[in-house]
Amino acid sequence: MNVLITGATGYIGSHTIVSLLENGYEVIGLDNFSNSKGNVLDKLEKITGKKIKFYQGNMLNEDLLDKIFSENKIDFVIDFAAYKSVGDSVSKPIEYYINNVSSVLNLIKVMKKYNIKSLIFSSSATVYGMPSKVPIIETDKVGGTTNPYGTSKLFVEKILDDLYKSDNTWNICLFRYFNPVGAHPSGIIGEMPNGVPANLMPYISMVATGKLPLLQIFGNDYDTIDGTGVRDYIHIMDLADAHVCAIEKLHNKQEFNIYNLGTGKGTSVLELVKTYEKVNKVKINYKIAPRRTGDIASCYASAKKAEKELGWKTKYTIEEMCKDAHNFIVKND
């Protein structure tokens, strides 16, 4: 089976490609390297012993998408291509809406043209806005998003819902990711964003290795175990494996499905920092800073639906997430 991966060299895309190749799938990749590096392709070959067919460019380029679909037999599409920084989205909302929403409209248009109707879309827990309770389940209310990044994901979810209602021959799966962290256990690939990281774990790793001087923890007055924000951190390889499970279970079906991908357990920012220090025997310099606009106190998932329907369950602990993240940054110093 041939799977098109958009955002192929990004953090989640690259690890999912490893899982797909190791499970016998053929992969076609697309990325414009806006938040990744081209050498990831060589690293994927090093891990798996396999090359992927790759196109460089952006999904906003409809002609490029047409070229990809005309040159390849594609059975399934997984869309990872999006800007993902909550903070940047607040300061650059228009750029986020254009990149994260218009690109998906282009993708759907070309998929319809070639009658390819199987799609996994990488959504986010941010679509739940300020959750009224935790753990969050898939039927909980969405909306009330607190930043343009989350709103862009919510818009696409609605677009895909409307698409399926208009034509139920589509097979659409929405994965609402919580907080992917860690790296491939080999240390060959991991989260290495261009510039200063927008996500917590790579920032911690860079402080631990002296690449950055200090971690700012935004807010210590939330109603949580230690006043810092609580999130559901999930190992990137667990997340990657979920996409393989989805293709195996949902292939040839005509359904619209939504799944949370998380561990079901919340970890505070301070707990994550302390675990990282303990596991890797390092010191993380940090200071408390004011809360950021758009942040919420606590957000973690119930992933029971994915376990029941997809046969997927997380395997990695928070300690392994910290260990693998550090292993990657040390090996790629």
Side-chain angles (χ1 to χ4, degrees):
M1 190 186 302
N2 299 317
V3 183
L4 171 63
I5 305 287
T6 70
T9 56
Y11 178 45
I12 302 176
S14 60
H15 288 78
T16 301
I17 286 174
V18 170
S19 288
L20 287 167
L21 292 176
E22 290 179 343
N23 282 276
Y25 292 91
E26 298 295 324
V27 172
I28 301 105
L30 169 66
D31 207 304
N32 66 349
F33 305 133
S34 65
N35 197 36
S36 61
K37 296 178 175 66
N39 66 356
V40 169
L41 297 168
D42 296 328
K43 293 181 176 185
L44 293 175
E45 185 177 357
K46 184 176 181 180
I47 294 171
T48 65
K50 300 176 182 178
K51 278 195 173 196
I52 69 167
K53 188 172 184 180
F54 181 78
Y55 295 81
Q56 183 176 349
N58 193 301
M59 290 204 306
L60 292 171
N61 184 343
E62 189 177 324
D63 290 338
L64 175 59
L65 288 176
D66 195 88
K67 175 181 171 66
I68 294 170
F69 279 84
S70 66
E71 292 181 352
N72 300 277
K73 179 186 180 297
I74 296 170
D75 301 294
F76 226 105
V77 179
I78 306 179
D79 178 24
F80 295 114
Y83 294 156
K84 64 175 185 176
S85 168
V86 168
D88 278 354
S89 77
V90 174
S91 60
K92 299 186 289 188
I94 301 306
E95 289 90 333
Y96 268 68
Y97 290 130
I98 291 171
N99 188 75
N100 292 6
V101 180
S102 297
S103 60
V104 179
L105 291 171
N106 277 351
L107 177 64
I108 293 167
K109 183 178 178 181
V110 177
M111 287 178 70
K112 285 181 69 175
K113 178 179 176 180
Y114 288 90
N115 199 35
I116 309 301
K117 294 186 175 182
S118 292
L119 173 66
I120 296 174
F121 175 68
S122 60
S123 190
S124 165
T126 54
V127 301
Y128 292 111
M130 293 281 191
S132 58
K133 63 178 180 63
V134 288
I136 300 167
I137 60 175
E138 289 84 352
T139 53
D140 284 345
K141 183 181 177 182
V142 296
T145 47
T146 59
N147 54 76
Y149 165 72
T151 306
S152 74
K153 291 295 186 180
L154 185 64
F155 284 167
V156 175
E157 284 200 6
K158 180 59 178 169
I159 288 166
L160 294 175
D161 185 29
D162 288 342
L163 173 64
Y164 181 77
K165 287 174 180 175
S166 72
D167 179 0
N168 62 11
T169 64
W170 278 78
N171 178 18
I172 297 172
C173 174
L174 307 181
F175 273 150
R176 290 173 179 162
Y177 305 149
F178 279 66
N179 293 77
V181 297
H184 190 270
S186 68
I188 295 173
I189 59 172
E191 188 168 14
M192 185 65 83
N194 294 334
V196 177
N199 293 336
L200 178 61
M201 185 71 93
Y203 207 106
I204 291 174
S205 296
M206 288 191 175
V207 172
T209 53
K211 289 183 172 67
L212 291 172
L214 186 75
L215 170 70
Q216 291 190 90
I217 296 177
F218 297 103
N220 66 344
D221 56 351
Y222 288 107
D223 184 17
T224 62
I225 187 171
D226 54 26
T228 64
V230 168
R231 298 292 182 268
D232 190 340
Y233 298 99
I234 174 173
H235 196 289
I236 187 63
M237 293 313 302
D238 277 332
L239 195 79
D241 289 343
H243 297 80
V244 178
C245 291
I247 292 177
E248 290 174 350
K249 293 290 185 181
L250 303 177
H251 183 55
N252 287 331
K253 292 192 176 181
Q254 297 175 343
E255 298 178 348
F256 183 89
N257 290 292
I258 301 172
Y259 299 100
N260 288 334
L261 295 185
T263 63
K265 180 179 182 296
T267 301
S268 77
V269 174
L270 271 180
E271 285 177 323
L272 187 66
V273 168
K274 297 302 180 185
T275 301
Y276 194 104
E277 289 181 325
K278 181 180 178 181
V279 169
N280 298 305
K281 297 180 173 56
V282 295
K283 176 65 178 174
I284 309 297
N285 296 317
Y286 70 87
K287 72 173 184 179
I288 304 299
R291 294 186 186 189
R292 292 181 302 187
T293 302
D295 277 350
I296 60 177
S298 185
C299 184
Y300 59 94
S302 167
K304 291 180 180 178
K305 183 182 177 186
E307 180 180 356
K308 179 181 178 181
E309 296 184 9
L310 302 180
W312 171 83
K313 191 174 183 180
T314 58
K315 298 176 288 189
Y316 292 86
T317 65
I318 196 76
E319 288 80 10
E320 289 170 308
M321 299 176 208
C322 292
K323 177 186 173 185
D324 288 341
H326 191 68
N327 181 46
F328 170 73
I329 199 75
V330 168
K331 287 187 174 181
N332 292 270
D333 195 348

